[in-house]
Amino acid sequence: MITSKTSFLGLIGNPVNHSLSPIIQNAALQYLGLDIIYITIPCKSEDLFSVVNSLKKINCKGLNITIPYKEKVFDLCTNVSPIANKLKAINTLKLNSDREWSATNTDVDGFIYPLKFLDFSKKHSIVLGSGGAARSVIEALKNLNFSKITVISRNKKSLSVLINNFGNTHSIQGVLNNDDKVNNLIEDANLIINTTPVGMKTLGNEEERLPFGKNFWQSLSPKTIVYDLIYNPRPTALLKLSEKKGCLTIDGTQMLVAQGIKSLSFWTDGLEVPFEIMHNALIKSFDQKI
Ligand code: NAP
């Protein structure tokens, strides 16, 4: 029940009206019995500084930050964690004891969650796409000790910026999607991660919903784990094809929930909520939409 003592957490971005964070976070807050609610706070770019600064002065305990403000909020924080600095992206803020914003990024931990008990030393991973999510994924793959990381993208410019950012610190290469090497690389990979939005749309035929088209996947081997960051539809066309080939598959709900658990833990100085509490709430919300 919301009372005069209830405080809140919020998601700042533009747009935020399709976010699933209120569903998973409110389920967790209720489970933990905290007198806090989680709401979305749509915010225009020109209002960002005044909104985030004003929230320091009222009963707001913390924030999630999403597109397009993950870089912009750096100037509003007094403390930024090493991982957020490294990724040049912030997704979580909390008020510290001086009532200033401390910031971190929980995407890397969120991505690692379903993979954390596996041994990937001497293994090869492929990342599809070279946008914002690819950056967190590559950092996570480095932490998981992959000996070889290949990023495949259609975008020569963002690919080369990404590879230069991570270059020389790890065995990482960038390859364009129409390169002749692609079939061999796909066959060799132990883990493939889709960070492109291809598959999100439920329109079009199955082939159009596969990143880089059907031929790109012809050499996919059953030994490969296929991880799609997309969480709706579930499964995606890529995960359906991968399952048919005998691959182990992981969908985007795992990362979505795990990064949410880490944000909540940051806001509450270490409280943990079971994965299933948030995941079940998420799946129930999908079922209700059908
Ligand atoms: P982004 O910054 O826009 O990057 C998307 C990347 O995919 C870019 O390299 C883009 O290339 C490429 N791409 C777009 N359309 C393509 C197409 N038709 N064929 C081939 N490549 C294409 O987006 P993002 O923030 O990284 O997010 C990407 C996806 O990950 C979204 O679907 C998002 O919902 C999902 N995601 C999920 C989670 C989770 O918790 N599960 C977390 C983060 C992101 P161009 O630059 O050439 O367009």
Side-chain angles (χ1 to χ4, degrees), residues 49-70:
F49 281 34
S50 57
V51 168
V52 175
N53 277 328
S54 304
L55 288 169
K56 287 197 289 199
K57 305 191 190 303
I58 57 172
N59 54 340
C60 174
K61 297 271 184 207
L63 296 169
N64 276 138
I65 306 293
T66 189
I67 288 167
Y69 303 134
K70 288 184 170 193

PDB file of all heavy atoms in Angstrom, residues 49-70:
ATOM      1  N   PHE A  49      18.925  17.773 -16.827  1.00  0.00           N
ATOM      2  CA  PHE A  49      19.732  18.244 -15.697  1.00  0.00           C
ATOM      3  C   PHE A  49      18.857  18.713 -14.538  1.00  0.00           C
ATOM      4  O   PHE A  49      19.079  18.344 -13.393  1.00  0.00           O
ATOM      5  CB  PHE A  49      20.688  19.367 -16.141  1.00  0.00           C
ATOM      6  CG  PHE A  49      21.897  18.832 -16.860  1.00  0.00           C
ATOM      7  CD1 PHE A  49      21.827  17.706 -17.657  1.00  0.00           C
ATOM      8  CD2 PHE A  49      23.129  19.459 -16.730  1.00  0.00           C
ATOM      9  CE1 PHE A  49      22.937  17.201 -18.326  1.00  0.00           C
ATOM     10  CE2 PHE A  49      24.257  18.954 -17.388  1.00  0.00           C
ATOM     11  CZ  PHE A  49      24.154  17.834 -18.198  1.00  0.00           C
ATOM     12  N   SER A  50      17.810  19.508 -14.851  1.00  0.00           N
ATOM     13  CA  SER A  50      16.982  20.028 -13.750  1.00  0.00           C
ATOM     14  C   SER A  50      16.177  18.897 -13.100  1.00  0.00           C
ATOM     15  O   SER A  50      16.019  18.869 -11.877  1.00  0.00           O
ATOM     16  CB  SER A  50      16.078  21.165 -14.228  1.00  0.00           C
ATOM     17  OG  SER A  50      15.269  20.721 -15.281  1.00  0.00           O
ATOM     18  N   VAL A  51      15.709  17.929 -13.889  1.00  0.00           N
ATOM     19  CA  VAL A  51      14.923  16.820 -13.310  1.00  0.00           C
ATOM     20  C   VAL A  51      15.813  15.973 -12.395  1.00  0.00           C
ATOM     21  O   VAL A  51      15.474  15.706 -11.235  1.00  0.00           O
ATOM     22  CB  VAL A  51      14.282  15.953 -14.424  1.00  0.00           C
ATOM     23  CG1 VAL A  51      13.725  14.652 -13.861  1.00  0.00           C
ATOM     24  CG2 VAL A  51      13.185  16.724 -15.137  1.00  0.00           C
ATOM     25  N   VAL A  52      16.975  15.559 -12.899  1.00  0.00           N
ATOM     26  CA  VAL A  52      17.834  14.664 -12.098  1.00  0.00           C
ATOM     27  C   VAL A  52      18.356  15.395 -10.854  1.00  0.00           C
ATOM     28  O   VAL A  52      18.434  14.818  -9.762  1.00  0.00           O
ATOM     29  CB  VAL A  52      18.985  14.084 -12.961  1.00  0.00           C
ATOM     30  CG1 VAL A  52      19.948  13.264 -12.126  1.00  0.00           C
ATOM     31  CG2 VAL A  52      18.413  13.217 -14.082  1.00  0.00           C
ATOM     32  N   ASN A  53      18.664  16.682 -10.963  1.00  0.00           N
ATOM     33  CA  ASN A  53      19.110  17.455  -9.795  1.00  0.00           C
ATOM     34  C   ASN A  53      17.981  17.636  -8.785  1.00  0.00           C
ATOM     35  O   ASN A  53      18.198  17.537  -7.581  1.00  0.00           O
ATOM     36  CB  ASN A  53      19.660  18.816 -10.224  1.00  0.00           C
ATOM     37  CG  ASN A  53      21.107  18.696 -10.664  1.00  0.00           C
ATOM     38  OD1 ASN A  53      21.857  17.864 -10.145  1.00  0.00           O
ATOM     39  ND2 ASN A  53      21.516  19.508 -11.624  1.00  0.00           N
ATOM     40  N   SER A  54      16.755  17.864  -9.262  1.00  0.00           N
ATOM     41  CA  SER A  54      15.617  18.061  -8.345  1.00  0.00           C
ATOM     42  C   SER A  54      15.310  16.782  -7.572  1.00  0.00           C
ATOM     43  O   SER A  54      14.920  16.838  -6.400  1.00  0.00           O
ATOM     44  CB  SER A  54      14.366  18.473  -9.115  1.00  0.00           C
ATOM     45  OG  SER A  54      14.620  19.615  -9.881  1.00  0.00           O
ATOM     46  N   LEU A  55      15.481  15.637  -8.237  1.00  0.00           N
ATOM     47  CA  LEU A  55      15.150  14.361  -7.582  1.00  0.00           C
ATOM     48  C   LEU A  55      16.053  14.093  -6.366  1.00  0.00           C
ATOM     49  O   LEU A  55      15.702  13.308  -5.486  1.00  0.00           O
ATOM     50  CB  LEU A  55      15.243  13.210  -8.594  1.00  0.00           C
ATOM     51  CG  LEU A  55      14.102  13.187  -9.624  1.00  0.00           C
ATOM     52  CD1 LEU A  55      14.397  12.202 -10.750  1.00  0.00           C
ATOM     53  CD2 LEU A  55      12.775  12.833  -8.953  1.00  0.00           C
ATOM     54  N   LYS A  56      17.193  14.768  -6.298  1.00  0.00           N
ATOM     55  CA  LYS A  56      18.084  14.632  -5.137  1.00  0.00           C
ATOM     56  C   LYS A  56      17.436  15.219  -3.889  1.00  0.00           C
ATOM     57  O   LYS A  56      17.786  14.892  -2.783  1.00  0.00           O
ATOM     58  CB  LYS A  56      19.387  15.418  -5.374  1.00  0.00           C
ATOM     59  CG  LYS A  56      20.313  14.808  -6.362  1.00  0.00           C
ATOM     60  CD  LYS A  56      21.712  15.365  -6.254  1.00  0.00           C
ATOM     61  CE  LYS A  56      21.810  16.782  -6.736  1.00  0.00           C
ATOM     62  NZ  LYS A  56      23.172  17.214  -7.068  1.00  0.00           N
ATOM     63  N   LYS A  57      16.501  16.138  -4.101  1.00  0.00           N
ATOM     64  CA  LYS A  57      15.948  16.917  -2.977  1.00  0.00           C
ATOM     65  C   LYS A  57      14.648  16.343  -2.435  1.00  0.00           C
ATOM     66  O   LYS A  57      14.080  16.884  -1.490  1.00  0.00           O
ATOM     67  CB  LYS A  57      15.740  18.370  -3.409  1.00  0.00           C
ATOM     68  CG  LYS A  57      17.024  18.981  -3.949  1.00  0.00           C
ATOM     69  CD  LYS A  57      16.922  20.459  -4.139  1.00  0.00           C
ATOM     70  CE  LYS A  57      18.102  21.010  -4.905  1.00  0.00           C
ATOM     71  NZ  LYS A  57      19.401  20.736  -4.300  1.00  0.00           N
ATOM     72  N   ILE A  58      14.148  15.279  -3.054  1.00  0.00           N
ATOM     73  CA  ILE A  58      12.879  14.709  -2.572  1.00  0.00           C
ATOM     74  C   ILE A  58      13.076  13.232  -2.230  1.00  0.00           C
ATOM     75  O   ILE A  58      14.211  12.764  -2.157  1.00  0.00           O
ATOM     76  CB  ILE A  58      11.738  14.933  -3.596  1.00  0.00           C
ATOM     77  CG1 ILE A  58      12.111  14.326  -4.955  1.00  0.00           C
ATOM     78  CG2 ILE A  58      11.423  16.426  -3.732  1.00  0.00           C
ATOM     79  CD1 ILE A  58      10.966  14.338  -5.953  1.00  0.00           C
ATOM     80  N   ASN A  59      11.955  12.500  -2.019  1.00  0.00           N
ATOM     81  CA  ASN A  59      12.055  11.126  -1.510  1.00  0.00           C
ATOM     82  C   ASN A  59      12.317  10.089  -2.613  1.00  0.00           C
ATOM     83  O   ASN A  59      11.667   9.054  -2.684  1.00  0.00           O
ATOM     84  CB  ASN A  59      10.795  10.764  -0.715  1.00  0.00           C
ATOM     85  CG  ASN A  59       9.528  10.988  -1.527  1.00  0.00           C
ATOM     86  OD1 ASN A  59       9.533  11.732  -2.503  1.00  0.00           O
ATOM     87  ND2 ASN A  59       8.448  10.344  -1.117  1.00  0.00           N
ATOM     88  N   CYS A  60      13.282  10.405  -3.450  1.00  0.00           N
ATOM     89  CA  CYS A  60      13.693   9.467  -4.501  1.00  0.00           C
ATOM     90  C   CYS A  60      14.959   8.761  -4.031  1.00  0.00           C
ATOM     91  O   CYS A  60      15.940   9.406  -3.672  1.00  0.00           O
ATOM     92  CB  CYS A  60      13.961  10.250  -5.796  1.00  0.00           C
ATOM     93  SG  CYS A  60      14.621   9.228  -7.110  1.00  0.00           S
ATOM     94  N   LYS A  61      14.938   7.413  -4.039  1.00  0.00           N
ATOM     95  CA  LYS A  61      16.076   6.633  -3.518  1.00  0.00           C
ATOM     96  C   LYS A  61      17.113   6.329  -4.586  1.00  0.00           C
ATOM     97  O   LYS A  61      18.257   6.009  -4.286  1.00  0.00           O
ATOM     98  CB  LYS A  61      15.570   5.288  -2.963  1.00  0.00           C
ATOM     99  CG  LYS A  61      14.636   5.405  -1.809  1.00  0.00           C
ATOM    100  CD  LYS A  61      15.433   5.431  -0.533  1.00  0.00           C
ATOM    101  CE  LYS A  61      14.522   5.454   0.681  1.00  0.00           C
ATOM    102  NZ  LYS A  61      15.130   6.076   1.823  1.00  0.00           N
ATOM    103  N   GLY A  62      16.690   6.338  -5.840  1.00  0.00           N
ATOM    104  CA  GLY A  62      17.639   5.977  -6.884  1.00  0.00           C
ATOM    105  C   GLY A  62      16.962   5.962  -8.236  1.00  0.00           C
ATOM    106  O   GLY A  62      15.737   6.057  -8.338  1.00  0.00           O
ATOM    107  N   LEU A  63      17.788   5.839  -9.272  1.00  0.00           N
ATOM    108  CA  LEU A  63      17.267   5.901 -10.640  1.00  0.00           C
ATOM    109  C   LEU A  63      17.922   4.864 -11.530  1.00  0.00           C
ATOM    110  O   LEU A  63      19.085   4.506 -11.318  1.00  0.00           O
ATOM    111  CB  LEU A  63      17.562   7.284 -11.244  1.00  0.00           C
ATOM    112  CG  LEU A  63      16.907   8.491 -10.595  1.00  0.00           C
ATOM    113  CD1 LEU A  63      17.520   9.782 -11.137  1.00  0.00           C
ATOM    114  CD2 LEU A  63      15.396   8.476 -10.841  1.00  0.00           C
ATOM    115  N   ASN A  64      17.183   4.419 -12.514  1.00  0.00           N
ATOM    116  CA  ASN A  64      17.778   3.772 -13.685  1.00  0.00           C
ATOM    117  C   ASN A  64      17.811   4.827 -14.781  1.00  0.00           C
ATOM    118  O   ASN A  64      16.913   5.672 -14.870  1.00  0.00           O
ATOM    119  CB  ASN A  64      16.951   2.580 -14.175  1.00  0.00           C
ATOM    120  CG  ASN A  64      17.240   1.302 -13.427  1.00  0.00           C
ATOM    121  OD1 ASN A  64      16.331   0.557 -13.101  1.00  0.00           O
ATOM    122  ND2 ASN A  64      18.498   1.024 -13.161  1.00  0.00           N
ATOM    123  N   ILE A  65      18.825   4.733 -15.619  1.00  0.00           N
ATOM    124  CA  ILE A  65      18.971   5.661 -16.728  1.00  0.00           C
ATOM    125  C   ILE A  65      18.998   4.839 -18.012  1.00  0.00           C
ATOM    126  O   ILE A  65      19.751   3.859 -18.108  1.00  0.00           O
ATOM    127  CB  ILE A  65      20.299   6.463 -16.628  1.00  0.00           C
ATOM    128  CG1 ILE A  65      20.410   7.167 -15.262  1.00  0.00           C
ATOM    129  CG2 ILE A  65      20.421   7.457 -17.781  1.00  0.00           C
ATOM    130  CD1 ILE A  65      19.411   8.274 -15.004  1.00  0.00           C
ATOM    131  N   THR A  66      18.165   5.224 -18.968  1.00  0.00           N
ATOM    132  CA  THR A  66      18.185   4.498 -20.237  1.00  0.00           C
ATOM    133  C   THR A  66      18.368   5.468 -21.403  1.00  0.00           C
ATOM    134  O   THR A  66      18.578   6.662 -21.214  1.00  0.00           O
ATOM    135  CB  THR A  66      16.931   3.592 -20.368  1.00  0.00           C
ATOM    136  OG1 THR A  66      17.108   2.760 -21.521  1.00  0.00           O
ATOM    137  CG2 THR A  66      15.636   4.385 -20.509  1.00  0.00           C
ATOM    138  N   ILE A  67      18.291   4.889 -22.601  1.00  0.00           N
ATOM    139  CA  ILE A  67      18.500   5.639 -23.847  1.00  0.00           C
ATOM    140  C   ILE A  67      17.614   6.880 -23.883  1.00  0.00           C
ATOM    141  O   ILE A  67      16.434   6.770 -23.526  1.00  0.00           O
ATOM    142  CB  ILE A  67      18.205   4.708 -25.049  1.00  0.00           C
ATOM    143  CG1 ILE A  67      19.358   3.681 -25.150  1.00  0.00           C
ATOM    144  CG2 ILE A  67      18.070   5.435 -26.363  1.00  0.00           C
ATOM    145  CD1 ILE A  67      19.078   2.518 -26.067  1.00  0.00           C
ATOM    146  N   PRO A  68      18.063   8.075 -24.206  1.00  0.00           N
ATOM    147  CA  PRO A  68      19.380   8.391 -24.768  1.00  0.00           C
ATOM    148  C   PRO A  68      20.314   9.104 -23.766  1.00  0.00           C
ATOM    149  O   PRO A  68      21.139   9.901 -24.184  1.00  0.00           O
ATOM    150  CB  PRO A  68      19.012   9.358 -25.909  1.00  0.00           C
ATOM    151  CG  PRO A  68      17.836  10.116 -25.352  1.00  0.00           C
ATOM    152  CD  PRO A  68      17.114   9.198 -24.391  1.00  0.00           C
ATOM    153  N   TYR A  69      20.197   8.795 -22.460  1.00  0.00           N
ATOM    154  CA  TYR A  69      20.895   9.621 -21.460  1.00  0.00           C
ATOM    155  C   TYR A  69      22.049   8.916 -20.739  1.00  0.00           C
ATOM    156  O   TYR A  69      22.572   9.449 -19.753  1.00  0.00           O
ATOM    157  CB  TYR A  69      19.878  10.128 -20.420  1.00  0.00           C
ATOM    158  CG  TYR A  69      18.740  10.902 -21.037  1.00  0.00           C
ATOM    159  CD1 TYR A  69      17.424  10.663 -20.653  1.00  0.00           C
ATOM    160  CD2 TYR A  69      18.970  11.869 -22.006  1.00  0.00           C
ATOM    161  CE1 TYR A  69      16.371  11.366 -21.213  1.00  0.00           C
ATOM    162  CE2 TYR A  69      17.922  12.575 -22.586  1.00  0.00           C
ATOM    163  CZ  TYR A  69      16.630  12.316 -22.190  1.00  0.00           C
ATOM    164  OH  TYR A  69      15.590  13.019 -22.757  1.00  0.00           O
ATOM    165  N   LYS A  70      22.426   7.713 -21.190  1.00  0.00           N
ATOM    166  CA  LYS A  70      23.420   6.938 -20.433  1.00  0.00           C
ATOM    167  C   LYS A  70      24.789   7.633 -20.349  1.00  0.00           C
ATOM    168  O   LYS A  70      25.548   7.382 -19.429  1.00  0.00           O
ATOM    169  CB  LYS A  70      23.573   5.544 -21.040  1.00  0.00           C
ATOM    170  CG  LYS A  70      22.373   4.650 -20.786  1.00  0.00           C
ATOM    171  CD  LYS A  70      22.604   3.259 -21.318  1.00  0.00           C
ATOM    172  CE  LYS A  70      21.513   2.321 -20.851  1.00  0.00           C
ATOM    173  NZ  LYS A  70      21.846   0.921 -21.083  1.00  0.00           N
TER     174      LYS A  70
END
